[in-house]
Amino acid sequence: MDAELYEEACFIRDRIQSLMDESNTSSWRDLGVLDWLVDRVDDLGFSIPTPIQARAAETILRSRAASCSLQAPTGSGKTLAFLLPCLSLLSYPPETYPEDLESPQLVIVVPTRELGVQIAMIVFRLFGGSVASDGIPGNRSNMFRYTGPRGVRVKGLVLEDEVDQAVEQRYLYGAHVVVGTPKLIAEAMARGVKIIGSDCRAIVVDEADACFKEDDIAASKTILDAVRELPVESASASASASGEKPRVVMAGATLSQDVFDLAVRNRWIEPGSFVQVDISGATTTERGADASSSASPASSSTSPPSPPPPSSRPLDGKHKRSSSPLVSSRLRHRYVTTNDSDMLGMLCRTILADQKSHSLDSQPTRGIVYVADSAVARKISEPLRSVLWSRHDISVLLPQGEEPIKSLHAFRDNRTSLLIATLAASRGLDLPAVTHVYFVGVLPPADEYVHLCGRLGRIGSSDAGVMTTFIETSAEPEFRAMLEDLRVPDDSVEKLDPPMPRSIEDLGALEGDDDAIDEAKRALETILALSKDEPEDRGTGDIRE
């Protein structure tokens, strides 16, 4: 290694250590996470807990409260914040073998299949499993370094077929962890599969506000009611000698006051132990009147609800002002005003301009285009492929079939550099090194905008990221008001007018490359056909909805 690079690496190492000493940062082991999980998460590259992870682990593993609500900005490490302490509550071989289990020990409820697959894969790797990228020589995350218990399993209920397998083939038999969507978990329960049972030690509702939206609220209530109704004598012995019921954890970046009140009113969680971390890293833990006492869960549940701190009351579709920003101040926010028939053309021009302005010394551009639904995703994929012929390889994330998993893996493994997805896929997905997010359509609610921004500037990313929104001209005042309510600095906001390419040279075609020239000609024709200078009837239709 070059001596200068070595000295720089040593400086960074020492600086990190000094910052940890100054902030009294606890290690995973200090927080009570099991030794083998600490070793594994270190091999996976997450050696130091983030603020939300440290506070969450402390609350879940050490607090007397039986429930916990975690709110923190997107990209701050919420998944490991609940996973590692909850996994540390479970019993493993030789104390508990898979065949000893009558029901899963940890149930994780998620709003979408894509998020369910992502979390299941994280648990799989924590349990010693390897994915394709782990096979790289020298990669510390390979299975041969795993020192934890053998035979532990994670299973998913994210496909209808998996429910049938759970009913007919005992698909969930011996699973320590089950990850699923509200409807599929509730359907399996209705068909006689024991998911919430005497072995259950914790249940997590991730992206809880989405799990309690209209389509999923009945199923989510069914699951949590089953936890509440577990008899004390059947509660997991791991909870404590006092017979506490399973820990209930509700997590998300935008937990609404309505969801929190609903959970307290139905006695799914207790008032108190609300852990919140704002953008600056400051933490707040609010405890209800009985949360720190020795009162039983029953007595705590009758206490008046203690709402989350004001800064943790996020936006519930309209734009409530927050006392702390919900999106990173590092992000750049751009917007383009246009009419609906010209949005696709503007999108193509903007992505081209972003790619053209990319410096060879900077991080390669990787983008996500969010649209209203799968029909729009299909509609815009071919024009984008034509226009970006030499710039991006494109994946389309559709909500049905096997394509979502393939698309996610292709984008995550850097085989594609532009992902087209629906709004549902913005929830919780951790996709590495995303530099640009584009939203095309009707102005999204503020909470959805927060999740769109959350794909950028995530832990480990060297690029702060650019969020670009394409809206109708009439929506500009509402969009600016939303940014103000989200406390986005004015100097981080830019109104954009993407340039129109006028020649094949603008599209990167070089003289003498006949194939490239032909592709560039087709791309230029596509852009001109989509531009507002052309006749209005271009056959592209309204891509907003």
Side-chain angles (χ1 to χ4, degrees), residues 317 319 423 439 441-450 452 467 469-471 478-479 482:
H319 314 138
L423 271 177
F439 175 76
V442 175
L443 181 65
D447 58 344
E448 294 293 350
Y449 187 82
V450 168
L452 292 172
M467 175 72 211
T469 307
F470 297 80
I471 54 175
E478 185 180 2
F479 178 73
M482 180 182 73

Side-chain angles (χ1 to χ4, degrees), residues 217-294:
I217 186 169
S220 296
K221 290 177 69 175
T222 295
I223 298 164
L224 289 168
D225 283 347
V227 176
R228 184 192 62 206
E229 298 305 322
L230 277 176
V232 173
E233 59 270 17
S234 296
S236 171
S238 70
S240 76
S242 63
E244 291 180 10
K245 292 184 179 182
R247 291 294 177 99
V248 176
V249 179
M250 305 187 78
T254 52
L255 291 178
S256 72
Q257 183 66 33
D258 289 343
V259 168
F260 184 81
D261 290 341
L262 177 68
V264 173
R265 189 165 58 248
N266 284 277
R267 295 183 290 121
W268 300 328
I269 65 172
E270 299 170 30
S273 292
F274 187 96
V275 180
Q276 185 255 344
V277 177
D278 65 23
I279 283 291
S280 67
T283 59
T284 301
T285 302
E286 177 165 311
R287 300 182 185 275
D290 297 327
S292 59
S293 71
S294 58

Side-chain angles (χ1 to χ4, degrees), residues 334-339 342-343 346-347 350 439 468-473 479 494-498:
R334 308 182 307 189
Y335 66 100
V336 178
T337 58
T338 182
N339 56 67
D342 194 37
M343 279 192 182
M346 286 290 196
L347 172 65
T350 301
F439 175 76
T468 308
T469 307
F470 297 80
I471 54 175
E472 287 198 327
T473 303
F479 178 73
E494 175 189 2
K495 186 174 182 179
L496 197 64
D497 184 15

Side-chain angles (χ1 to χ4, degrees), residues 132-151:
S133 59
D134 294 337
I136 299 173
N139 193 324
R140 296 179 62 198
S141 60
N142 69 74
M143 68 178 71
F144 303 106
R145 290 181 56 88
Y146 175 69
T147 60
R150 306 291 170 170

Side-chain angles (χ1 to χ4, degrees), residues 499-529:
M500 169 71 79
R502 296 297 179 183
S503 67
I504 59 175
E505 287 76 14
D506 290 341
L507 299 177
L510 300 176
E511 185 177 352
D513 188 341
D514 293 341
D515 291 339
I517 290 174
D518 289 342
E519 292 283 2
K521 286 180 179 177
R522 283 192 289 269
L524 187 59
E525 289 171 358
T526 301
I527 293 176
L528 293 174

